Amino acid sequence: MHSDLNAFLADLDRAKLLARVAEPVSPDLEIAAVTDRACKSNGGGPALLFDRPTGFSIPVVTNLYGSVERMCLALGVRRLDDLAAEIDELMTPQMPEGVMDALKMLPMVGRLRDLMPKTVKDAPCQEVVRRDATLDELPILKCWPEDGGRFITFPLVFTKHPESAERNIGTYRMQVYDGRSTGMHWQRHKGGAQHHRVAERLGKRLDVAVALGPEPVLPYCATAPMPEGLDELLLAGFLSHRRIEMVKCVTVNLEVPASSQIVLEGYVDPGERRREGPFGDHTGLYSQPDDFPVFHLTCITQRKNPIYLTTVVGIPPMEDYYLGLASERIFLPMIRKTLPEIVDMHFPAEGIFHNLVLVSIDKRYPGHARKIMNAFWGLGQLMFSKTIVVVDKEVDVQDLSQVAWIVGTHMDPLRDIQMTKGPVDDLDDAADLPAYGGKMGIDATRKWASEGYTRTWPTRVSTTEAAGRKAADIWSRLR
Ligand SMILES: Cc1cc2nc3c(=O)[nH]c(=O)nc-3n(C[C@H](O)[C@H](O)[C@H](O)COP(=O)(O)O)c2cc1C
């Protein structure tokens, strides 16, 4: 597992998964336009290293996680499903039956020890400490022409709950207002917003630290939908097989990953709001301007020669699809602990995580599909699921065309649609009200007599085993 961004980039370079852009390219629209081309090319394109962003001496990296292969490399696995298997094993400990059995479990004990972060004194991210630094020194992108300005798009925002001191890390974009302040776009349902809500109730300033470009496992973890109160660093420690090294900030009471390229220290005041946006969002549409809290910079700490890691969102597929895909695979075993009947689930790129969720289940009782819909609408960030399609276990939810076929043939619109209302994602502009709107579930499972279907359900067309063998033989000779 890579200890920092530099080591990861060197590996990607060796594996020819990194494209270096040596000519000057402007952070004003041009870097985003090149990145968009890469994301739309076959399989997500290469990671991009812009050596000479016009007007800046700090190189820019984009599309770092934008392919299945690079997402796997960042998480140190061959396949994302390998992680699911490991997590499942960790969550289903067997009682050892003898000494040999107990010895076999030792590696798992090591994994648990790795979960806890550790504090170090010297950190690469504090090689240079400047309290008078400004954001104007960083090659922060303006991504799309109608964006309200330049946005830090891949920050890891660290806060502590003002009462319980629980840590939260989230990726929330930050619009640059001037050299010393930015917007803080934590949406109302997110961990950072909750910490700020409590701080406002107490009339207190909330310390905030923003890590840019730490070791490659961490930016993924900041986007992961960890349940409230569960530290994202536990996930990072588990995934990276070692304890994450943290260092105390210089001007605020927080710790940040020692491996970061750049750290912005500062605070958010209670009561302060400022217009944020518009921003070309991962819906592929511009998000409307709205009022959000303001981040005030107190200090920048950084490596001597830092790299600026950022991402570009827009019309899917973009890099964030692969971050979401990792969460899909990693969280499936955890969801199965509550809903063991789930066989698989998928968030297709076009659905931008919450707009379209496909789930296959081992159907056991009448109304089972609707139970799954209701469970999702009540489970963490799955509450945002706007359209949930539930199919039987033999349907491959990773195959969109198969799901479309099954929905068309298995669904009666008057009978199989479940409508409801509740919280929706802040980015849902189709809802009449911000963050509150409609959701739809489609039960595309086979219907049972106990569900009121008294006709005979038709069986799938398929040939006999013997004819299939013969066909395979003839076909291999024809080609
Ligand atoms: C590239 C990218 C940008 C994101 N920007 C935001 C954002 O501006 N505001 C927000 O609330 N969530 C944003 N998210 C989603 C959150 O990072 C995600 O919901 C995360 O789980 C939040 O963590 P939390 O539950 O600890 O708050 C973004 C995700 C990605 C991948």
Side-chain angles (χ1 to χ4, degrees), residues 153 168-173 185-187 190-192 222-225 232 311 313 320 323 381:
T153 53
N168 185 73
I169 317 174
T171 292
Y172 318 120
R173 71 173 185 243
H185 188 257
W186 46 47
Q187 295 155 350
K190 307 297 172 72
T223 71
E232 281 80 1
T311 184
V313 296
D320 56 345
L323 293 161
Q381 291 190 39

mmCIF file with all atom_site columns, all heavy atoms in Angstrom, residues 153 168-173 185-187 190-192 222-225 232 311 313 320 323 381, ligand 1:
data_model
loop_
_atom_site.group_PDB
_atom_site.id
_atom_site.type_symbol
_atom_site.label_atom_id
_atom_site.label_alt_id
_atom_site.label_comp_id
_atom_site.label_asym_id
_atom_site.label_entity_id
_atom_site.label_seq_id
_atom_site.pdbx_PDB_ins_code
_atom_site.Cartn_x
_atom_site.Cartn_y
_atom_site.Cartn_z
_atom_site.occupancy
_atom_site.B_iso_or_equiv
_atom_site.pdbx_formal_charge
_atom_site.auth_seq_id
_atom_site.auth_comp_id
_atom_site.auth_asym_id
_atom_site.auth_atom_id
_atom_site.pdbx_PDB_model_num
ATOM   1   N N   . THR A 1 153 ? -11.852 20.994 -5.055  1.00 0.00 ? 153 THR A N   1
ATOM   2   C CA  . THR A 1 153 ? -12.875 19.965 -5.292  1.00 0.00 ? 153 THR A CA  1
ATOM   3   C C   . THR A 1 153 ? -12.599 18.648 -4.570  1.00 0.00 ? 153 THR A C   1
ATOM   4   O O   . THR A 1 153 ? -13.465 17.783 -4.500  1.00 0.00 ? 153 THR A O   1
ATOM   5   C CB  . THR A 1 153 ? -12.984 19.666 -6.802  1.00 0.00 ? 153 THR A CB  1
ATOM   6   O OG1 . THR A 1 153 ? -11.672 19.354 -7.279  1.00 0.00 ? 153 THR A OG1 1
ATOM   7   C CG2 . THR A 1 153 ? -13.565 20.840 -7.563  1.00 0.00 ? 153 THR A CG2 1
ATOM   8   N N   . ASN A 1 168 ? -14.819 13.648 12.322  1.00 0.00 ? 168 ASN A N   1
ATOM   9   C CA  . ASN A 1 168 ? -15.467 13.371 11.032  1.00 0.00 ? 168 ASN A CA  1
ATOM   10  C C   . ASN A 1 168 ? -14.541 13.829 9.914   1.00 0.00 ? 168 ASN A C   1
ATOM   11  O O   . ASN A 1 168 ? -13.844 14.838 10.033  1.00 0.00 ? 168 ASN A O   1
ATOM   12  C CB  . ASN A 1 168 ? -16.802 14.118 10.907  1.00 0.00 ? 168 ASN A CB  1
ATOM   13  C CG  . ASN A 1 168 ? -17.522 13.714 9.621   1.00 0.00 ? 168 ASN A CG  1
ATOM   14  O OD1 . ASN A 1 168 ? -18.051 12.611 9.534   1.00 0.00 ? 168 ASN A OD1 1
ATOM   15  N ND2 . ASN A 1 168 ? -17.511 14.569 8.606   1.00 0.00 ? 168 ASN A ND2 1
ATOM   16  N N   . ILE A 1 169 ? -14.523 13.049 8.849   1.00 0.00 ? 169 ILE A N   1
ATOM   17  C CA  . ILE A 1 169 ? -13.805 13.465 7.637   1.00 0.00 ? 169 ILE A CA  1
ATOM   18  C C   . ILE A 1 169 ? -14.786 13.362 6.483   1.00 0.00 ? 169 ILE A C   1
ATOM   19  O O   . ILE A 1 169 ? -15.429 12.325 6.289   1.00 0.00 ? 169 ILE A O   1
ATOM   20  C CB  . ILE A 1 169 ? -12.602 12.548 7.319   1.00 0.00 ? 169 ILE A CB  1
ATOM   21  C CG1 . ILE A 1 169 ? -11.811 12.227 8.591   1.00 0.00 ? 169 ILE A CG1 1
ATOM   22  C CG2 . ILE A 1 169 ? -11.705 13.182 6.271   1.00 0.00 ? 169 ILE A CG2 1
ATOM   23  C CD1 . ILE A 1 169 ? -10.714 11.212 8.371   1.00 0.00 ? 169 ILE A CD1 1
ATOM   24  N N   . GLY A 1 170 ? -14.917 14.426 5.729   1.00 0.00 ? 170 GLY A N   1
ATOM   25  C CA  . GLY A 1 170 ? -15.802 14.402 4.561   1.00 0.00 ? 170 GLY A CA  1
ATOM   26  C C   . GLY A 1 170 ? -15.185 15.196 3.434   1.00 0.00 ? 170 GLY A C   1
ATOM   27  O O   . GLY A 1 170 ? -14.391 16.119 3.679   1.00 0.00 ? 170 GLY A O   1
ATOM   28  N N   . THR A 1 171 ? -15.535 14.846 2.206   1.00 0.00 ? 171 THR A N   1
ATOM   29  C CA  . THR A 1 171 ? -15.114 15.649 1.065   1.00 0.00 ? 171 THR A CA  1
ATOM   30  C C   . THR A 1 171 ? -16.241 16.617 0.757   1.00 0.00 ? 171 THR A C   1
ATOM   31  O O   . THR A 1 171 ? -17.327 16.190 0.358   1.00 0.00 ? 171 THR A O   1
ATOM   32  C CB  . THR A 1 171 ? -14.826 14.740 -0.151  1.00 0.00 ? 171 THR A CB  1
ATOM   33  O OG1 . THR A 1 171 ? -13.679 13.964 0.156   1.00 0.00 ? 171 THR A OG1 1
ATOM   34  C CG2 . THR A 1 171 ? -14.561 15.537 -1.406  1.00 0.00 ? 171 THR A CG2 1
ATOM   35  N N   . TYR A 1 172 ? -16.003 17.887 1.020   1.00 0.00 ? 172 TYR A N   1
ATOM   36  C CA  . TYR A 1 172 ? -16.993 18.926 0.752   1.00 0.00 ? 172 TYR A CA  1
ATOM   37  C C   . TYR A 1 172 ? -16.270 20.039 -0.015  1.00 0.00 ? 172 TYR A C   1
ATOM   38  O O   . TYR A 1 172 ? -15.289 20.586 0.503   1.00 0.00 ? 172 TYR A O   1
ATOM   39  C CB  . TYR A 1 172 ? -17.558 19.515 2.048   1.00 0.00 ? 172 TYR A CB  1
ATOM   40  C CG  . TYR A 1 172 ? -17.875 18.509 3.151   1.00 0.00 ? 172 TYR A CG  1
ATOM   41  C CD1 . TYR A 1 172 ? -17.247 18.589 4.386   1.00 0.00 ? 172 TYR A CD1 1
ATOM   42  C CD2 . TYR A 1 172 ? -18.807 17.486 2.956   1.00 0.00 ? 172 TYR A CD2 1
ATOM   43  C CE1 . TYR A 1 172 ? -17.532 17.696 5.411   1.00 0.00 ? 172 TYR A CE1 1
ATOM   44  C CE2 . TYR A 1 172 ? -19.096 16.581 3.972   1.00 0.00 ? 172 TYR A CE2 1
ATOM   45  C CZ  . TYR A 1 172 ? -18.453 16.686 5.196   1.00 0.00 ? 172 TYR A CZ  1
ATOM   46  O OH  . TYR A 1 172 ? -18.724 15.799 6.205   1.00 0.00 ? 172 TYR A OH  1
ATOM   47  N N   . ARG A 1 173 ? -16.767 20.373 -1.202  1.00 0.00 ? 173 ARG A N   1
ATOM   48  C CA  . ARG A 1 173 ? -16.054 21.360 -2.021  1.00 0.00 ? 173 ARG A CA  1
ATOM   49  C C   . ARG A 1 173 ? -15.974 22.721 -1.335  1.00 0.00 ? 173 ARG A C   1
ATOM   50  O O   . ARG A 1 173 ? -16.834 23.057 -0.498  1.00 0.00 ? 173 ARG A O   1
ATOM   51  C CB  . ARG A 1 173 ? -16.745 21.500 -3.367  1.00 0.00 ? 173 ARG A CB  1
ATOM   52  C CG  . ARG A 1 173 ? -18.077 22.201 -3.265  1.00 0.00 ? 173 ARG A CG  1
ATOM   53  C CD  . ARG A 1 173 ? -18.669 22.492 -4.622  1.00 0.00 ? 173 ARG A CD  1
ATOM   54  N NE  . ARG A 1 173 ? -19.869 23.261 -4.485  1.00 0.00 ? 173 ARG A NE  1
ATOM   55  C CZ  . ARG A 1 173 ? -21.080 22.859 -4.854  1.00 0.00 ? 173 ARG A CZ  1
ATOM   56  N NH1 . ARG A 1 173 ? -21.253 21.680 -5.419  1.00 0.00 ? 173 ARG A NH1 1
ATOM   57  N NH2 . ARG A 1 173 ? -22.114 23.657 -4.706  1.00 0.00 ? 173 ARG A NH2 1
ATOM   58  N N   . HIS A 1 185 ? -18.988 23.722 1.761   1.00 0.00 ? 185 HIS A N   1
ATOM   59  C CA  . HIS A 1 185 ? -20.210 23.182 1.185   1.00 0.00 ? 185 HIS A CA  1
ATOM   60  C C   . HIS A 1 185 ? -20.592 21.836 1.804   1.00 0.00 ? 185 HIS A C   1
ATOM   61  O O   . HIS A 1 185 ? -20.828 20.851 1.102   1.00 0.00 ? 185 HIS A O   1
ATOM   62  C CB  . HIS A 1 185 ? -20.012 23.053 -0.341  1.00 0.00 ? 185 HIS A CB  1
ATOM   63  C CG  . HIS A 1 185 ? -21.240 22.688 -1.087  1.00 0.00 ? 185 HIS A CG  1
ATOM   64  N ND1 . HIS A 1 185 ? -21.484 21.416 -1.563  1.00 0.00 ? 185 HIS A ND1 1
ATOM   65  C CD2 . HIS A 1 185 ? -22.320 23.410 -1.431  1.00 0.00 ? 185 HIS A CD2 1
ATOM   66  C CE1 . HIS A 1 185 ? -22.648 21.391 -2.168  1.00 0.00 ? 185 HIS A CE1 1
ATOM   67  N NE2 . HIS A 1 185 ? -23.176 22.577 -2.120  1.00 0.00 ? 185 HIS A NE2 1
ATOM   68  N N   . TRP A 1 186 ? -20.620 21.765 3.145   1.00 0.00 ? 186 TRP A N   1
ATOM   69  C CA  . TRP A 1 186 ? -21.132 20.526 3.728   1.00 0.00 ? 186 TRP A CA  1
ATOM   70  C C   . TRP A 1 186 ? -22.642 20.604 3.686   1.00 0.00 ? 186 TRP A C   1
ATOM   71  O O   . TRP A 1 186 ? -23.244 21.553 4.181   1.00 0.00 ? 186 TRP A O   1
ATOM   72  C CB  . TRP A 1 186 ? -20.578 20.243 5.123   1.00 0.00 ? 186 TRP A CB  1
ATOM   73  C CG  . TRP A 1 186 ? -20.545 21.349 6.110   1.00 0.00 ? 186 TRP A CG  1
ATOM   74  C CD1 . TRP A 1 186 ? -21.545 22.222 6.416   1.00 0.00 ? 186 TRP A CD1 1
ATOM   75  C CD2 . TRP A 1 186 ? -19.447 21.697 6.958   1.00 0.00 ? 186 TRP A CD2 1
ATOM   76  N NE1 . TRP A 1 186 ? -21.144 23.081 7.396   1.00 0.00 ? 186 TRP A NE1 1
ATOM   77  C CE2 . TRP A 1 186 ? -19.865 22.787 7.755   1.00 0.00 ? 186 TRP A CE2 1
ATOM   78  C CE3 . TRP A 1 186 ? -18.160 21.187 7.150   1.00 0.00 ? 186 TRP A CE3 1
ATOM   79  C CZ2 . TRP A 1 186 ? -19.036 23.377 8.700   1.00 0.00 ? 186 TRP A CZ2 1
ATOM   80  C CZ3 . TRP A 1 186 ? -17.337 21.773 8.091   1.00 0.00 ? 186 TRP A CZ3 1
ATOM   81  C CH2 . TRP A 1 186 ? -17.780 22.850 8.847   1.00 0.00 ? 186 TRP A CH2 1
ATOM   82  N N   . GLN A 1 187 ? -23.252 19.624 3.048   1.00 0.00 ? 187 GLN A N   1
ATOM   83  C CA  . GLN A 1 187 ? -24.707 19.634 2.935   1.00 0.00 ? 187 GLN A CA  1
ATOM   84  C C   . GLN A 1 187 ? -25.325 19.227 4.264   1.00 0.00 ? 187 GLN A C   1
ATOM   85  O O   . GLN A 1 187 ? -24.698 18.547 5.068   1.00 0.00 ? 187 GLN A O   1
ATOM   86  C CB  . GLN A 1 187 ? -25.140 18.698 1.802   1.00 0.00 ? 187 GLN A CB  1
ATOM   87  C CG  . GLN A 1 187 ? -24.658 19.208 0.460   1.00 0.00 ? 187 GLN A CG  1
ATOM   88  C CD  . GLN A 1 187 ? -24.506 18.118 -0.566  1.00 0.00 ? 187 GLN A CD  1
ATOM   89  O OE1 . GLN A 1 187 ? -24.580 16.936 -0.257  1.00 0.00 ? 187 GLN A OE1 1
ATOM   90  N NE2 . GLN A 1 187 ? -24.258 18.516 -1.794  1.00 0.00 ? 187 GLN A NE2 1
ATOM   91  N N   . LYS A 1 190 ? -24.807 15.858 6.207   1.00 0.00 ? 190 LYS A N   1
ATOM   92  C CA  . LYS A 1 190 ? -23.461 15.305 6.332   1.00 0.00 ? 190 LYS A CA  1
ATOM   93  C C   . LYS A 1 190 ? -22.830 15.568 7.705   1.00 0.00 ? 190 LYS A C   1
ATOM   94  O O   . LYS A 1 190 ? -23.259 16.459 8.440   1.00 0.00 ? 190 LYS A O   1
ATOM   95  C CB  . LYS A 1 190 ? -22.560 15.872 5.232   1.00 0.00 ? 190 LYS A CB  1
ATOM   96  C CG  . LYS A 1 190 ? -23.116 15.721 3.813   1.00 0.00 ? 190 LYS A CG  1
ATOM   97  C CD  . LYS A 1 190 ? -23.262 14.260 3.411   1.00 0.00 ? 190 LYS A CD  1
ATOM   98  C CE  . LYS A 1 190 ? -23.990 14.103 2.083   1.00 0.00 ? 190 LYS A CE  1
ATOM   99  N NZ  . LYS A 1 190 ? -23.212 14.506 0.938   1.00 0.00 ? 190 LYS A NZ  1
ATOM   100 N N   . GLY A 1 191 ? -21.797 14.776 8.002   1.00 0.00 ? 191 GLY A N   1
ATOM   101 C CA  . GLY A 1 191 ? -21.152 14.809 9.318   1.00 0.00 ? 191 GLY A CA  1
ATOM   102 C C   . GLY A 1 191 ? -20.620 16.185 9.692   1.00 0.00 ? 191 GLY A C   1
ATOM   103 O O   . GLY A 1 191 ? -20.804 16.643 10.831  1.00 0.00 ? 191 GLY A O   1
ATOM   104 N N   . GLY A 1 192 ? -19.944 16.858 8.762   1.00 0.00 ? 192 GLY A N   1
ATOM   105 C CA  . GLY A 1 192 ? -19.380 18.186 9.048   1.00 0.00 ? 192 GLY A CA  1
ATOM   106 C C   . GLY A 1 192 ? -20.476 19.169 9.420   1.00 0.00 ? 192 GLY A C   1
ATOM   107 O O   . GLY A 1 192 ? -20.328 19.982 10.344  1.00 0.00 ? 192 GLY A O   1
ATOM   108 N N   . ALA A 1 222 ? -12.643 9.563  2.712   1.00 0.00 ? 222 ALA A N   1
ATOM   109 C CA  . ALA A 1 222 ? -13.395 10.786 3.027   1.00 0.00 ? 222 ALA A CA  1
ATOM   110 C C   . ALA A 1 222 ? -14.705 10.845 2.250   1.00 0.00 ? 222 ALA A C   1
ATOM   111 O O   . ALA A 1 222 ? -15.628 11.544 2.653   1.00 0.00 ? 222 ALA A O   1
ATOM   112 C CB  . ALA A 1 222 ? -12.547 12.018 2.707   1.00 0.00 ? 222 ALA A CB  1
ATOM   113 N N   . THR A 1 223 ? -14.790 10.120 1.145   1.00 0.00 ? 223 THR A N   1
ATOM   114 C CA  . THR A 1 223 ? -16.038 10.125 0.358   1.00 0.00 ? 223 THR A CA  1
ATOM   115 C C   . THR A 1 223 ? -16.965 8.978  0.778   1.00 0.00 ? 223 THR A C   1
ATOM   116 O O   . THR A 1 223 ? -18.113 8.936  0.378   1.00 0.00 ? 223 THR A O   1
ATOM   117 C CB  . THR A 1 223 ? -15.755 9.969  -1.153  1.00 0.00 ? 223 THR A CB  1
ATOM   118 O OG1 . THR A 1 223 ? -15.315 8.633  -1.418  1.00 0.00 ? 223 THR A OG1 1
ATOM   119 C CG2 . THR A 1 223 ? -14.726 10.966 -1.635  1.00 0.00 ? 223 THR A CG2 1
ATOM   120 N N   . ALA A 1 224 ? -16.440 8.050  1.586   1.00 0.00 ? 224 ALA A N   1
ATOM   121 C CA  . ALA A 1 224 ? -17.198 6.840  1.920   1.00 0.00 ? 224 ALA A CA  1
ATOM   122 C C   . ALA A 1 224 ? -18.351 7.167  2.884   1.00 0.00 ? 224 ALA A C   1
ATOM   123 O O   . ALA A 1 224 ? -18.183 7.974  3.802   1.00 0.00 ? 224 ALA A O   1
ATOM   124 C CB  . ALA A 1 224 ? -16.264 5.818  2.571   1.00 0.00 ? 224 ALA A CB  1
ATOM   125 N N   . PRO A 1 225 ? -19.511 6.538  2.694   1.00 0.00 ? 225 PRO A N   1
ATOM   126 C CA  . PRO A 1 225 ? -20.679 6.840  3.537   1.00 0.00 ? 225 PRO A CA  1
ATOM   127 C C   . PRO A 1 225 ? -20.619 6.140  4.891   1.00 0.00 ? 225 PRO A C   1
ATOM   128 O O   . PRO A 1 225 ? -21.455 5.297  5.206   1.00 0.00 ? 225 PRO A O   1
ATOM   129 C CB  . PRO A 1 225 ? -21.848 6.319  2.682   1.00 0.00 ? 225 PRO A CB  1
ATOM   130 C CG  . PRO A 1 225 ? -21.263 5.211  1.872   1.00 0.00 ? 225 PRO A CG  1
ATOM   131 C CD  . PRO A 1 225 ? -19.832 5.558  1.634   1.00 0.00 ? 225 PRO A CD  1
ATOM   132 N N   . GLU A 1 232 ? -13.707 7.680  9.952   1.00 0.00 ? 232 GLU A N   1
ATOM   133 C CA  . GLU A 1 232 ? -13.237 7.244  8.629   1.00 0.00 ? 232 GLU A CA  1
ATOM   134 C C   . GLU A 1 232 ? -11.813 6.675  8.695   1.00 0.00 ? 232 GLU A C   1
ATOM   135 O O   . GLU A 1 232 ? -11.418 5.883  7.834   1.00 0.00 ? 232 GLU A O   1
ATOM   136 C CB  . GLU A 1 232 ? -13.256 8.419  7.640   1.00 0.00 ? 232 GLU A CB  1
ATOM   137 C CG  . GLU A 1 232 ? -14.609 8.772  7.048   1.00 0.00 ? 232 GLU A CG  1
ATOM   138 C CD  . GLU A 1 232 ? -15.508 9.624  7.961   1.00 0.00 ? 232 GLU A CD  1
ATOM   139 O OE1 . GLU A 1 232 ? -15.062 9.974  9.077   1.00 0.00 ? 232 GLU A OE1 1
ATOM   140 O OE2 . GLU A 1 232 ? -16.656 9.906  7.566   1.00 0.00 ? 232 GLU A OE2 1
ATOM   141 N N   . THR A 1 311 ? -10.076 17.032 -8.416  1.00 0.00 ? 311 THR A N   1
ATOM   142 C CA  . THR A 1 311 ? -10.908 16.186 -9.262  1.00 0.00 ? 311 THR A CA  1
ATOM   143 C C   . THR A 1 311 ? -11.874 17.076 -10.033 1.00 0.00 ? 311 THR A C   1
ATOM   144 O O   . THR A 1 311 ? -12.124 18.219 -9.633  1.00 0.00 ? 311 THR A O   1
ATOM   145 C CB  . THR A 1 311 ? -11.656 15.124 -8.417  1.00 0.00 ? 311 THR A CB  1
ATOM   146 O OG1 . THR A 1 311 ? -12.394 14.255 -9.290  1.00 0.00 ? 311 THR A OG1 1
ATOM   147 C CG2 . THR A 1 311 ? -12.646 15.763 -7.458  1.00 0.00 ? 311 THR A CG2 1
ATOM   148 N N   . VAL A 1 313 ? -15.747 17.115 -11.615 1.00 0.00 ? 313 VAL A N   1
ATOM   149 C CA  . VAL A 1 313 ? -17.037 16.431 -11.766 1.00 0.00 ? 313 VAL A CA  1
ATOM   150 C C   . VAL A 1 313 ? -17.807 17.096 -12.898 1.00 0.00 ? 313 VAL A C   1
ATOM   151 O O   . VAL A 1 313 ? -17.530 18.228 -13.274 1.00 0.00 ? 313 VAL A O   1
ATOM   152 C CB  . VAL A 1 313 ? -17.858 16.428 -10.448 1.00 0.00 ? 313 VAL A CB  1
ATOM   153 C CG1 . VAL A 1 313 ? -17.154 15.640 -9.377  1.00 0.00 ? 313 VAL A CG1 1
ATOM   154 C CG2 . VAL A 1 313 ? -18.166 17.845 -9.979  1.00 0.00 ? 313 VAL A CG2 1
ATOM   155 N N   . ASP A 1 320 ? -15.553 10.410 -10.078 1.00 0.00 ? 320 ASP A N   1
ATOM   156 C CA  . ASP A 1 320 ? -16.288 10.077 -8.853  1.00 0.00 ? 320 ASP A CA  1
ATOM   157 C C   . ASP A 1 320 ? -17.085 8.783  -8.991  1.00 0.00 ? 320 ASP A C   1
ATOM   158 O O   . ASP A 1 320 ? -17.419 8.157  -7.983  1.00 0.00 ? 320 ASP A O   1
ATOM   159 C CB  . ASP A 1 320 ? -17.177 11.239 -8.383  1.00 0.00 ? 320 ASP A CB  1
ATOM   160 C CG  . ASP A 1 320 ? -18.158 11.694 -9.443  1.00 0.00 ? 320 ASP A CG  1
ATOM   161 O OD1 . ASP A 1 320 ? -17.987 11.332 -10.614 1.00 0.00 ? 320 ASP A OD1 1
ATOM   162 O OD2 . ASP A 1 320 ? -19.109 12.418 -9.099  1.00 0.00 ? 320 ASP A OD2 1
ATOM   163 N N   . LEU A 1 323 ? -15.032 6.156  -7.358  1.00 0.00 ? 323 LEU A N   1
ATOM   164 C CA  . LEU A 1 323 ? -15.035 6.261  -5.890  1.00 0.00 ? 323 LEU A CA  1
ATOM   165 C C   . LEU A 1 323 ? -16.328 5.657  -5.352  1.00 0.00 ? 323 LEU A C   1
ATOM   166 O O   . LEU A 1 323 ? -16.329 4.917  -4.361  1.00 0.00 ? 323 LEU A O   1
ATOM   167 C CB  . LEU A 1 323 ? -14.920 7.730  -5.472  1.00 0.00 ? 323 LEU A CB  1
ATOM   168 C CG  . LEU A 1 323 ? -13.578 8.398  -5.812  1.00 0.00 ? 323 LEU A CG  1
ATOM   169 C CD1 . LEU A 1 323 ? -13.699 9.908  -5.807  1.00 0.00 ? 323 LEU A CD1 1
ATOM   170 C CD2 . LEU A 1 323 ? -12.491 7.965  -4.831  1.00 0.00 ? 323 LEU A CD2 1
ATOM   171 N N   . GLN A 1 381 ? -26.795 7.111  4.037   1.00 0.00 ? 381 GLN A N   1
ATOM   172 C CA  . GLN A 1 381 ? -26.926 7.914  2.816   1.00 0.00 ? 381 GLN A CA  1
ATOM   173 C C   . GLN A 1 381 ? -27.735 7.206  1.721   1.00 0.00 ? 381 GLN A C   1
ATOM   174 O O   . GLN A 1 381 ? -28.066 7.815  0.702   1.00 0.00 ? 381 GLN A O   1
ATOM   175 C CB  . GLN A 1 381 ? -25.545 8.304  2.285   1.00 0.00 ? 381 GLN A CB  1
ATOM   176 C CG  . GLN A 1 381 ? -24.847 9.294  3.200   1.00 0.00 ? 381 GLN A CG  1
ATOM   177 C CD  . GLN A 1 381 ? -23.578 9.883  2.600   1.00 0.00 ? 381 GLN A CD  1
ATOM   178 O OE1 . GLN A 1 381 ? -23.507 10.176 1.417   1.00 0.00 ? 381 GLN A OE1 1
ATOM   179 N NE2 . GLN A 1 381 ? -22.553 10.043 3.411   1.00 0.00 ? 381 GLN A NE2 1
HETATM 180 C C1  . LIG B 2 .   ? -15.613 14.491 -5.627  1.00 0.00 ? 1   LIG B C1  1
HETATM 181 C C2  . LIG B 2 .   ? -16.655 14.572 -4.572  1.00 0.00 ? 1   LIG B C2  1
HETATM 182 C C3  . LIG B 2 .   ? -17.124 15.811 -4.146  1.00 0.00 ? 1   LIG B C3  1
HETATM 183 C C4  . LIG B 2 .   ? -18.088 15.901 -3.141  1.00 0.00 ? 1   LIG B C4  1
HETATM 184 N N1  . LIG B 2 .   ? -18.523 17.138 -2.751  1.00 0.00 ? 1   LIG B N1  1
HETATM 185 C C5  . LIG B 2 .   ? -19.427 17.236 -1.743  1.00 0.00 ? 1   LIG B C5  1
HETATM 186 C C6  . LIG B 2 .   ? -19.852 18.510 -1.289  1.00 0.00 ? 1   LIG B C6  1
HETATM 187 O O1  . LIG B 2 .   ? -19.455 19.540 -1.808  1.00 0.00 ? 1   LIG B O1  1
HETATM 188 N N2  . LIG B 2 .   ? -20.729 18.541 -0.246  1.00 0.00 ? 1   LIG B N2  1
HETATM 189 C C7  . LIG B 2 .   ? -21.204 17.413 0.357   1.00 0.00 ? 1   LIG B C7  1
HETATM 190 O O2  . LIG B 2 .   ? -21.974 17.512 1.320   1.00 0.00 ? 1   LIG B O2  1
HETATM 191 N N3  . LIG B 2 .   ? -20.838 16.172 -0.084  1.00 0.00 ? 1   LIG B N3  1
HETATM 192 C C8  . LIG B 2 .   ? -19.959 16.071 -1.108  1.00 0.00 ? 1   LIG B C8  1
HETATM 193 N N4  . LIG B 2 .   ? -19.548 14.841 -1.541  1.00 0.00 ? 1   LIG B N4  1
HETATM 194 C C9  . LIG B 2 .   ? -20.097 13.633 -0.904  1.00 0.00 ? 1   LIG B C9  1
HETATM 195 C C10 . LIG B 2 .   ? -19.500 13.384 0.456   1.00 0.00 ? 1   LIG B C10 1
HETATM 196 O O3  . LIG B 2 .   ? -18.107 13.439 0.424   1.00 0.00 ? 1   LIG B O3  1
HETATM 197 C C11 . LIG B 2 .   ? -19.975 12.024 0.977   1.00 0.00 ? 1   LIG B C11 1
HETATM 198 O O4  . LIG B 2 .   ? -21.375 12.094 1.119   1.00 0.00 ? 1   LIG B O4  1
HETATM 199 C C12 . LIG B 2 .   ? -19.324 11.624 2.281   1.00 0.00 ? 1   LIG B C12 1
HETATM 200 O O5  . LIG B 2 .   ? -19.802 10.342 2.656   1.00 0.00 ? 1   LIG B O5  1
HETATM 201 C C13 . LIG B 2 .   ? -19.632 12.609 3.368   1.00 0.00 ? 1   LIG B C13 1
HETATM 202 O O6  . LIG B 2 .   ? -19.028 12.182 4.545   1.00 0.00 ? 1   LIG B O6  1
HETATM 203 P P1  . LIG B 2 .   ? -19.778 12.356 5.940   1.00 0.00 ? 1   LIG B P1  1
HETATM 204 O O7  . LIG B 2 .   ? -20.871 11.340 5.961   1.00 0.00 ? 1   LIG B O7  1
HETATM 205 O O8  . LIG B 2 .   ? -18.701 12.094 6.925   1.00 0.00 ? 1   LIG B O8  1
HETATM 206 O O9  . LIG B 2 .   ? -20.293 13.732 5.990   1.00 0.00 ? 1   LIG B O9  1
HETATM 207 C C14 . LIG B 2 .   ? -18.601 14.727 -2.554  1.00 0.00 ? 1   LIG B C14 1
HETATM 208 C C15 . LIG B 2 .   ? -18.133 13.475 -2.978  1.00 0.00 ? 1   LIG B C15 1
HETATM 209 C C16 . LIG B 2 .   ? -17.179 13.394 -3.971  1.00 0.00 ? 1   LIG B C16 1
HETATM 210 C C17 . LIG B 2 .   ? -16.697 12.051 -4.409  1.00 0.00 ? 1   LIG B C17 1
#
